[in-house]
């Protein structure tokens, strides 16, 4: 009997892919990405109208595939349909995040809030980035907020911040590291509850 071509041998079926994803097989994830990433990217571009944002969404989709591979059941439908379902949710999340950013920028503009250092020819994306950073900073603990404001808006080094605040340099570095971590998470995931709000909600359950 003639052996099937190598390309066919190397093309696993959906049940095999599902089993591999559930077992954490990176080769199966690579095969899934190779087979369906173009479809996901095309859906994202069509919905978002931005190739770079579509690339980010595509990565998020396959991260979701990797993390949720144990939840896929071939008997419930084709893997392509499952992946498209994840893509639609991620696209909806991206559109919601975009709407939040636009609402934030609109509210700042309507309130007449100053945008320090703004120039008439400055790209609107840069203005939006600064507004978002300022909004995210406001949600940090006071010490972290003070350190990052001095760093971002007054361009001070950590040594200079220590001199300004009177805090030990190690304390300044710790506040900066923790603040940056929370800031990145906040800008990536959108508004979050403050620790006090979260504590109140948990106690109210």
């Amino acid at each position: 009997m003639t052996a099937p071509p190598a390309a066919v041998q190397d093309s696993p079926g959906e049940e095999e892919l599902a089993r591999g994803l559930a077992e954490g097989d990176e080769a199966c994830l690579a095969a899934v990405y190779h087979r369906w990433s173009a479809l996901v990217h095309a859906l994202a571009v069509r919905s978002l109208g931005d190739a770079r944002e579509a690339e980010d969404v595509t990565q998020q989709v396959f991260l979701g595939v990797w993390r949720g591979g144990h939840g896929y059941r071939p008997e419930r439908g084709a893997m392509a349909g499952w992946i498209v379902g994840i893509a639609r949710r991620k696209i909806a999340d991206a559109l919601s995040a975009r709407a939040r950013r636009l609402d934030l920028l609109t509210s700042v503009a309507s309130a007449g809030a100053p945008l320090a250092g703004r120039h008439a020819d400055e790209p609107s994306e840069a203005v939006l980035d600064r507004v978002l950073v300022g909004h995210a900073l406001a949600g940090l603990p006071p010490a972290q907020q003070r350190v990052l404001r001095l760093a971002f808006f007054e361009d001070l080094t950590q040594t200079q911040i220590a001199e300004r605040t009177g805090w030990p340099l190690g304390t300044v570095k710790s506040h900066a590291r923790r603040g940056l971590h929370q800031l990145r998470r906040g800008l990536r995931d959108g508004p979050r509850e403050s620790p006090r709000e979260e504590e109140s909600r948990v106690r109210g359950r």
Side-chain angles (χ1 to χ4, degrees), residues 38-166:
L39 171 63
V40 171
H41 186 263
L43 288 173
V45 168
R46 186 172 63 189
S47 299
L48 299 171
D50 184 293
R52 181 176 298 178
E53 193 172 7
E55 289 175 3
D56 291 339
V57 166
T58 300
Q59 292 179 5
Q60 293 171 22
V61 168
F62 286 95
L63 181 59
V65 168
W66 178 243
R67 290 175 173 172
H70 59 279
Y72 170 65
R73 297 291 182 271
E75 64 272 14
R76 296 180 183 176
M79 182 170 284
W82 176 63
I83 293 173
V84 167
I86 296 174
R88 287 174 175 163
R89 290 193 294 274
K90 296 299 183 182
I91 290 169
D93 289 344
L95 290 171
S96 296
R98 180 187 293 177
R100 287 197 305 269
R101 292 195 298 267
L102 291 174
D103 288 345
L104 174 60
L105 183 57
T106 300
S107 65
V108 170
S110 63
L115 294 174
R118 179 176 181 180
H119 301 288
D121 59 348
E122 184 176 20
S124 58
E125 292 84 356
V127 176
L128 179 57
D129 286 345
R130 186 163 55 252
V131 171
L132 291 173
V133 169
H135 180 76
L137 279 173
L140 297 180
Q144 296 175 12
Q145 185 178 152
R146 186 178 183 191
V147 167
L148 293 184
R149 285 188 181 280
L150 289 172
F152 289 155
F153 300 125
E154 297 192 30
D155 200 25
L156 298 183
T157 66
Q158 291 183 341
T159 300
Q160 291 170 329
I161 293 172
E163 293 173 352
R164 173 78 68 86
T165 60

Side-chain angles (χ1 to χ4, degrees), residues 145-202:
Q145 185 178 152
R146 186 178 183 191
V147 167
L148 293 184
R149 285 188 181 280
L150 289 172
F152 289 155
F153 300 125
E154 297 192 30
D155 200 25
L156 298 183
T157 66
Q158 291 183 341
T159 300
Q160 291 170 329
I161 293 172
E163 293 173 352
R164 173 78 68 86
T165 60
W167 296 336
L169 180 58
T171 300
V172 170
K173 290 181 176 180
S174 178
H175 286 322
R177 182 175 62 253
R178 293 175 183 174
L180 285 170
H181 174 74
Q182 293 191 49
L183 188 63
R184 282 194 296 266
R185 187 177 63 183
L187 291 173
R188 182 188 67 226
D189 299 336
R192 290 176 175 263
E193 294 177 310
S194 67
R196 182 174 298 176
E197 290 171 336
E198 183 177 4
E199 182 180 358
S200 298
R201 177 177 56 76
V202 172

